Amino acid sequence: MSETTTTNTTGSATTTEALRERALKLDAADPLADRRELFALDDGVYLDGNSLGALPAHVPARVQDVLTRQWGELRIRSWEESGWWTAPERIGDRIAPLVGAAAGQIVVGDSTSVNVFKAVVAAARIAGEGRDEILVDATTFPTDGYIAASAARLTGHRIVPVAPADVPAALGPRTAVVLLNQVDYRSGRLHDLPGLTAAVHAAGAVAVWDLCHSAGALPVGLDEHGVDLAVGCTYKYLNGGPGSPAYLYVAERHQAAFDSPLPGWNSHADPFGMTPDYAPVDGSARGRVGTPDIVSMLTLEAALDAWDGVEVDAVRAKSLALTDFFLECVEAYVPAGRVTSVTPAAHAERGSQVALRCDDAESVMRRLIERGIVGDLRRPDVLRFGFTPLYVGFADAERAARVLAEVLAETAGA
């Protein structure tokens, strides 16, 4: 991975004034600027939406209705009268346009980890006999690797860790499944979903993508690029709330062959028949397992209202402009040599976060948070700043870079 060390060009009052003025002009021209008022934010700068999205301000009232009227008054009747039973597919169809999928291919429920397990095992079964390798992104979020290893033990496959760029060379006649993250959670590097999916298919294997750090931040194009299966969380850029349910995408062409390793009563063709033998329902509902987590699920449904009328292409354009501007401000403000960007400079290789390698990162992030600049870190030395275009503005980016420079100047030589 190439790295670019930032340099302090001037750091002068003139530079600061010019960057602040540019930020104000960019915010004034931002077509998504009005979305910010939909969220419950304080006067700080929240750059950790790639871990937990901000609360859409209308959600508490909607959840109150779920608790007091739907549960408190209607009680069991809400499974039908309030649409509880159909929520996993209904909310899946709300998410579908945000990841480039047609309706009927996404079901919401369970955690990302559980959905990774379902997807990898089902993919191995779809791939068929004679293929015994599961290629796993060697840089993946740890849980994906843990789950894939367990799935491999269950299905008699072996795990082959490989860097995403090396996947084409690692593919072969024994490859059954390839599990990849679209965006690296540490560095923010965006991997080539179209090209890698095509390479996987050319080798006769099944592609499974983790969209946790891309859905809601950039166009994904699941249908357009022929992705087989995908999973993702909803509490980051989709702002569904802490622990909000994840989702599972099963391409329509694979739904009849989708053999879930967790065949629960919710995915039975006759769920209330209570028969001893399992018969799977048709469609994406095959990804359901047990009783849905209704309160969290309906919280997510309410949160998705913030996306009404928003085009993902506009989100992507603002994301790239924000991260470009933040990096420019860091270069102008931060003392020379104090941070190194590990986020790719090329737009085609960048997600919606900026990761800066920094000595004493834990202490620096703690001081930033004390001053109202909320990011996070990945030990031992990476500061992460997530840019959620629905509520982060250019003035936020300028302020975050300026406070970062102040903190680093104060800690120089400490």
Side-chain angles (χ1 to χ4, degrees), residues 277-355:
D277 296 325
Y278 178 74
V281 69
D282 291 333
S284 64
R286 285 192 178 195
R288 293 175 66 154
V289 183
T291 304
D293 186 341
I294 289 298
V295 176
S296 290
M297 191 165 292
L298 298 187
T299 299
L300 166 63
E301 184 173 33
L304 289 171
D305 287 352
W307 284 91
D308 289 348
V310 174
E311 296 292 334
V312 178
D313 286 342
V315 171
R316 177 58 169 167
K318 182 177 176 182
S319 166
L320 292 172
L322 276 170
T323 49
D324 278 344
F325 185 65
F326 177 70
L327 287 167
E328 180 182 348
C329 292
V330 168
E331 185 173 3
Y333 293 158
V334 170
R338 293 303 308 277
V339 298
T340 302
S341 176
V342 296
T343 298
H347 286 182
E349 299 176 357
R350 187 194 307 167
S352 196
Q353 74 179 48
V354 172

Side-chain angles (χ1 to χ4, degrees), residues 57 66 135 143 168 184 316 354 401:
V66 173
L135 272 57
T143 293
D184 186 295
R316 177 58 169 167
V354 172

Side-chain angles (χ1 to χ4, degrees), residues 27 30 32-33 35-36 39 41 45-49 318 322 386-397:
D27 281 333
D30 175 16
L32 296 176
R35 295 286 153 169
R36 184 185 181 98
F39 293 86
L41 297 165
V45 178
Y46 188 64
L47 299 179
D48 206 6
K318 182 177 176 182
L322 276 170
F387 290 84
T388 304
L390 293 191
Y391 55 77
V392 174
F394 293 90
D396 295 324

